[in-house]
């Protein structure tokens, strides 16, 4: 089988400016130090970046793979590290976050105020019988209470399981049951796209049979919508907080005390409860927050647009920034409500200097056009980040040029719910950036691109991305299912030379400089006539054509070639009348053939007006594959907008 991975040649290079490099927190010495003594490097980070109640003496225990222990004999309190110590260091008056509700209501909360709130909430939890190790489900919109709730759970050594507010009551119930949660923290509703989205009815439905492990429900008043009430079970958060003391001493817990469970979908139907613990997790997210984003907590204003329902919200809107004492923006709503410039307006208003978002958002802004962001003063921005999927070079360059004023470093950060923190990324001020490539493992992390036999493939050959040594923020398991943990992530490279290694589930290749290019999930890698092709790569070729706003590619089964490339393309508004759909698809098929090679030419290109996306912005290729293969469209319940598939299939009929 021949592989023709990445025949796209991206030659643009963006070295750091001397001015940026001069004040950057990261320097090339980080790589040298980590390489000289990897474990010593992480131990030093853990000591420098965190405050330990009891210092650790052992860095890593890997005597029972795949179960790792980091800093195991140390004790710390995660919430103390995110709150109290900043107040003790006389930074209590620093703003922890500027929160903005979608309707325009705002709250600015300092570290001193947040610490007091979290202490109060910790007392509320204790009074409800929650203690170390108990699981608490959090089902909230992006409001300040979500931050308070998560940190309060962490403060008492309990375990949070945040369930994204867009999930259904069935999904919520499945997660409550899997973790045997004792308490649910929710709200009456939240604001999204100008409307109140109710949350409490989903909780009521999830608990309706009275058979769950949940004993109490705390309800935050947010949207003032009418809700049903179950006496004895439900309690207003606001009342409970008003009655609680704001004195609470943070106790130290062992470094491996579970911090949270976060469910993520696998290849099978049942979501996996990814388990993260305390000391190692906090070390790596604090480290990456500081060095990957060049965070200067005294002067920067940082904004990560992720909802707390996703891992990015956990690691880079809560634990990473707060462990560093950063000032943040938190926003409840959608980017285009009430107007398409809302995000840029917030950046202007709060003088955001570090901005972290997803390629799908960037591409949707490209689609609307640069006129919108150009109406706002974005000159405060100095570092831009991307996460969630490969960012195609066109979107990368647009992001830097239009949002970053042509000067900001852009860091493309590869990581997963399972890795807990960033694993592969450029370092601003150090790395010469290469659009489209996530580039290099961060200091202290080792990854490689392996073939099926567990040995490294040659440069420019596609293979499987693997993490080849345990890392501090690695998942500690799948909640309640150690066999699935071993099987999913470790069995593939269990006996690899030097292994066991962690299978990330992503395809990748390294270029001649050793930079990594992510090629999408391995289940999204197609095999056409014995050639390995990446969906991401063909999408990138499509998006490089000036007519194309967004593209999704799937491999559809084909009698002669095994799989065939089928593309779904959204054409930019201005180009819509330039060509008919069939002319446009001919031009684009030819364009892909020119960009990558005839083998990659899509068999079919459908011109569509929407693509099916999950609420976290990931394109649901499974559904597009159904269309491409002429099947009945499968389960659409996790789509952000469930009508999208109807629109697509109606149009193609
Ligand atoms: C953080 C997060 C993980 C999967 C991962 C990969 C894709 C994330 C990426 C990226 C290319 C990047 N992914 N970041 N692919 N470049 N910078 O997104 O976690 O929701 O668990 O998704 O997302 O396929 O395996 P999660």
């Amino acid at each position: 089988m021949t592989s023709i991975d990445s025949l796209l040649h991206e030659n643009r290079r963006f070295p750091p400016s001397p001015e940026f490099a001069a004040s950057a927190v990261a320097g090339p010495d980080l790589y040298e130090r980590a390489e000289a003594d990897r474990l010593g490097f992480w131990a030093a980070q853990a000591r420098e970046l965190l405050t330990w109640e009891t210092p650790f003496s052992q860095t890593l225990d890997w005597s029972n793979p795949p179960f790792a222990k980091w800093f195991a004999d140390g004790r710390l309190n995660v919430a103390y590290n995110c709150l109290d110590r900043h107040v003790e260091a006389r930074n209590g008056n620093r703003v922890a976050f500027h929160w903005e509700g979608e309707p325009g209501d705002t709250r600015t909360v300092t570290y001193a105020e947040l610490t007091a709130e979290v202490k109060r909430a910790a007392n509320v939890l204790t009074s409800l019988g929650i203690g170390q190790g108990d699981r608490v489900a959090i089902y909230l919109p992006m409001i300040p209470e979500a931050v308070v709730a998560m940190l309060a759970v962490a403060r008492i050594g309990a375990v949070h399981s945040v369930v994204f507010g867009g999930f259904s009551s069935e999904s919520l119930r499945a997660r409550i049951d899997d973790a045997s949660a004792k308490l649910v923290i929710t709200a009456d509703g939240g604001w999204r796209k100008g409307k109140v989205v109710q949350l409490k009815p989903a909780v009521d439905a999830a608990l309706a049979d009275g058979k769950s492990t949940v004993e109490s429900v705390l309800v935050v008043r947010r949207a003032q919508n009418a809700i049903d009430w179950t006496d004895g079970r439900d309690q207003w958060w606001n009342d409970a907080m008003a009655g609680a003391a704001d004195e609470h001493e943070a106790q130290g817990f062992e470094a491996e005390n579970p911090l949270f469970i976060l469910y993520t979908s696998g290849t099978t139907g049942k979501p996996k409860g990814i388990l993260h613990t305390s000391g190692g997790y906090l070390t790596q997210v604090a480290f990456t927050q500081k060095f990957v984003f060049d965070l200067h907590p005294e002067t920067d204003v940082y904004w990560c647009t992720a909802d707390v329902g996703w891992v990015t919200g956990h690691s880079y809107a809560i634990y990473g920034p707060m462990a560093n004492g950063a000032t943040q923006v938190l926003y409840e709503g959608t980017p285009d409500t009430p107007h398409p410039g809302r995000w840029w307006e917030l950046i202007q208003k709060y003088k955001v200097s570090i901005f972290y978002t997803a390629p799908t958002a960037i591409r949707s802004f490209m689609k609307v056009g640069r006129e919108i962001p150009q109406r706002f003063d974005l000159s405060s921005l100095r570092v831009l980040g991307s996460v969630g999927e490969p960012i195609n070079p066109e979107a990368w360059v647009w992001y830097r040029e239009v949002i970053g004023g042509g000067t900001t470093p852009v860091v493309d950060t590869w990581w997963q719910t399972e890795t807990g923190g960033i694993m592969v990324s450029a370092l601003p001020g150090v790395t010469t950036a290469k659009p489209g490539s996530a580039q290099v493992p961060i200091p202290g992390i080792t990854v490689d691109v392996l073939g099926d036999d567990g040995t490294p493939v040659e440069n420019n050959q596609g293979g499987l991305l693997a993490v080849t040594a345990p890392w501090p923020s690695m998942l500690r398991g799948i909640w309640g299912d150690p066999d699935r943990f071993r099987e999913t992530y470790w069995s593939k490279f269990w006996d690899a030379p030097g292994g066991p290694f962690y299978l990330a589930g992503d395809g990748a290749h390294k270029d001649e400089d050793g930079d990594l290019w992510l090629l999408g999930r391995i289940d999204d890698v197609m095999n056409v006539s014995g050639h390995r092709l990446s969906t991401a790569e063909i999408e990138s070729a499509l998006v490089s054509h000036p007519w194309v706003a967004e593209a999704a590619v799937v491999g559809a089964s084909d009698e002669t070639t095994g799989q065939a490339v089928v593309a779904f393309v959204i054409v930019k508004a201005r180009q819509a009348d330039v060509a008919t759909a069939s002319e446009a698809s001919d031009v684009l098929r030819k364009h892909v053939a020119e960009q990558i090679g005839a083998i990659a030419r899509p068999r079919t290109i459908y011109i569509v007006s929407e693509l099916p996306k999950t609420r976290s912005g990931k394109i649901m290729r499974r559904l597009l594959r159904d269309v491409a293969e002429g099947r009945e469209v499968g389960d659409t319940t996790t789509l952000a907008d469930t009508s999208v598939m109807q629109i697509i299939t109606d149009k193609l009929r």
Side-chain angles (χ1 to χ4, degrees):
M1 195 173 90
T2 339
S3 10
I4 56 149
D5 295 296
S6 189
L7 297 176
L8 281 181
H9 294 296
E10 174 53 56
N11 293 320
R12 286 167 287 193
R13 298 290 179 272
F14 298 89
S17 74
E19 306 81 67
F20 193 101
S23 62
V25 287
D29 61 300
L30 281 178
Y31 293 106
E32 290 152 26
R33 281 166 52 203
E35 202 156 328
D37 176 8
R38 195 179 84 92
L39 294 182
F41 174 80
W42 281 119
Q45 297 308 326
R47 292 188 180 109
E48 278 163 34
L49 295 168
L50 306 184
T51 304
W52 295 80
E53 187 224 42
T54 308
F56 59 89
S57 64
Q58 187 184 40
T59 302
L60 169 67
D61 176 358
W62 189 232
S63 58
N64 179 31
F67 299 95
K69 290 185 180 150
W70 284 84
F71 316 123
D73 59 349
R75 296 174 73 87
L76 80 170
N77 185 290
V78 169
Y80 172 86
N81 273 276
C82 293
L83 300 167
D84 311 54
R85 65 173 178 149
H86 305 315
V87 180
E88 289 166 13
R90 298 175 182 270
N91 289 321
N93 290 332
R94 185 183 297 164
V95 172
F97 56 80
H98 300 283
W99 174 79
E100 181 109 358
E102 196 188 75
D105 47 338
T106 60
R107 264 181 77 187
T108 286
V109 179
T110 65
Y111 272 97
E113 289 162 347
L114 186 61
T115 304
E117 288 261 298
V118 170
K119 287 179 173 178
R120 227 186 264 281
N123 287 325
V124 169
L125 296 179
T126 308
S127 74
L128 290 171
I130 307 297
Q132 181 180 8
D134 286 336
R135 276 79 62 203
V136 176
I138 297 179
Y139 188 63
L140 283 172
M142 195 63 185
I143 54 177
E145 288 80 1
V147 183
V148 175
M150 288 166 76
L151 290 171
V153 170
R155 189 176 188 91
I156 61 169
V159 187
H160 56 70
S161 164
V162 180
V163 180
F164 177 61
F167 278 130
S168 65
S169 66
E170 293 83 40
S171 305
L172 174 63
R173 174 60 186 261
R175 286 156 173 76
I176 287 172
D177 284 352
D178 188 70
S180 310
K182 271 172 89 170
L183 167 71
V184 180
I185 306 179
T186 188
D188 47 3
W191 287 89
R192 206 184 137 78
K193 292 194 195 253
K195 287 197 280 266
V196 171
V197 178
Q198 306 216 33
L199 286 169
K200 179 68 165 39
V203 176
D204 292 338
L207 305 182
D209 66 5
K211 289 186 187 142
S212 86
T213 46
V214 171
E215 293 164 10
S216 358
V217 177
L218 278 172
V219 188
V220 178
R221 220 231 210 282
R222 161 66 186 137
Q224 328 295 334
N225 48 308
I227 55 172
D228 289 340
W229 201 254
T230 302
D231 286 325
R233 184 195 73 186
D234 298 350
Q235 232 185 92
W236 286 111
W237 163 277
N238 312 59
D239 293 347
M241 287 288 279
D246 63 4
E247 273 319 308
H248 182 276
E249 182 137 4
Q251 172 200 336
F253 296 97
E254 56 271 37
E256 286 296 340
N257 192 52
L259 177 62
F260 66 85
I261 303 168
L262 187 59
Y263 288 83
T264 183
S265 48
T267 37
T268 68
K270 189 176 185 268
K272 303 173 277 196
I274 304 299
L275 175 68
H276 283 287
T277 60
S278 304
Y281 171 80
L282 201 62
T283 298
Q284 190 168 335
V285 299
F287 172 78
T288 46
Q289 182 73 55
K290 178 172 170 184
F291 292 100
V292 172
F293 297 102
D294 191 47
L295 180 71
H296 294 74
E298 319 76 38
T299 47
D300 275 315
V301 178
Y302 164 84
W303 182 18
C304 165
T305 63
D307 188 279
V308 290
W310 308 111
V311 74
T312 306
H314 283 59
S315 300
Y316 298 105
I318 309 280
Y319 292 110
M322 292 189 176
N324 281 287
T327 295
Q328 301 193 76
V329 170
L330 296 176
Y331 172 55
E332 178 187 34
T334 44
D336 51 0
T337 306
H339 61 80
R342 185 71 191 272
W343 274 10
W344 318 124
E345 182 182 59
L346 290 176
I347 290 176
Q348 172 180 289
K349 175 174 175 185
Y350 294 110
K351 298 194 168 44
V352 172
S353 53
I354 307 173
F355 183 62
Y356 192 29
T357 194
T360 180
I362 298 163
R363 288 194 303 264
S364 65
F365 289 120
M366 285 173 78
K367 191 161 69 179
V368 183
R370 61 177 66 204
E371 303 76 43
I372 307 287
Q374 280 173 348
R375 277 181 215 147
F376 299 90
D377 177 4
L378 305 180
S379 62
S380 53
L381 289 170
R382 53 177 210 89
V383 179
L384 301 177
S386 171
V387 62
E389 54 177 316
I391 177 165
N392 48 293
E394 271 54 45
W396 194 103
V397 170
W398 189 92
Y399 194 25
R400 179 179 157 108
E401 294 297 321
V402 178
I403 307 305
T407 58
T408 55
V410 174
V411 287
D412 175 11
T413 62
W414 178 88
W415 59 292
Q416 312 173 297
T417 305
E418 292 88 338
T419 70
I422 293 170
M423 302 291 278
V424 176
S425 172
L427 290 185
V430 179
T431 319
T432 290
K434 196 184 271 187
S437 166
Q439 302 202 286
V440 287
I442 60 156
I445 296 297
T446 57
V447 309
D448 213 336
V449 181
L450 306 179
D452 280 324
D453 63 354
T455 63
V457 298
E458 282 173 34
N459 283 352
N460 292 314
Q461 293 285 310
L464 304 169
L465 188 71
V467 186
T468 54
W471 63 102
S473 64
M474 68 194 282
L475 75 168
R476 299 304 198 260
I478 295 178
W479 184 260
D481 203 343
D483 292 339
R484 191 176 179 193
F485 174 53
R486 267 193 219 95
E487 178 53 36
T488 309
Y489 303 105
W490 300 93
S491 62
K492 174 85 184 164
F493 297 132
W494 190 256
D495 294 319
F501 300 145
Y502 168 86
L503 173 76
D506 279 17
H509 73 79
K510 264 193 218 171
D511 66 17
E512 42 289 345
D513 303 326
D515 283 324
L516 285 160
W517 295 75
L518 276 303
L519 302 171
R521 299 292 305 181
I522 45 186
D523 27 18
D524 289 336
V525 173
M526 299 165 291
N527 189 324
V528 180
S529 306
H531 299 286
R532 209 189 280 178
L533 288 174
S534 142
T535 52
E537 200 172 7
I538 300 176
E539 286 165 8
S540 182
L542 283 165
V543 178
S544 74
H545 192 282
W547 289 0
V548 176
E550 211 170 347
V553 167
V554 297
S557 59
D558 184 281
E559 261 174 29
T560 41
T561 58
Q563 280 187 311
V565 180
V566 175
F568 295 78
V569 169
I570 304 180
V571 179
K572 281 181 193 151
R574 283 188 294 287
Q575 262 75 37
D577 45 11
V578 169
T580 66
S582 96
E583 284 165 356
S585 79
D586 286 347
V587 167
L588 296 176
R589 290 177 69 239
K590 187 155 161 274
H591 176 72
V592 173
E594 281 166 9
Q595 291 279 305
I596 303 181
I599 181 68
R601 181 192 291 127
R603 183 187 70 188
T604 318
I605 294 185
Y606 295 111
I607 307 293
V608 294
S609 56
E610 302 277 351
L611 289 172
K613 286 182 188 156
T614 63
R615 304 216 181 209
S616 65
K618 291 200 168 62
I619 293 170
M620 288 191 73
R621 290 194 177 69
R622 172 171 64 77
L623 301 176
L624 294 174
R625 221 172 284 128
D626 291 344
V627 175
E629 300 182 348
R631 263 194 311 276
E632 175 101 80
V633 173
D635 183 10
T636 57
T637 49
T638 55
L639 284 178
D641 177 356
T642 47
S643 65
V644 163
M645 286 316 295
Q646 196 59 44
I647 295 170
I648 292 174
T649 48
D650 282 351
K651 201 161 164 221
L652 299 180
R653 201 163 280 144

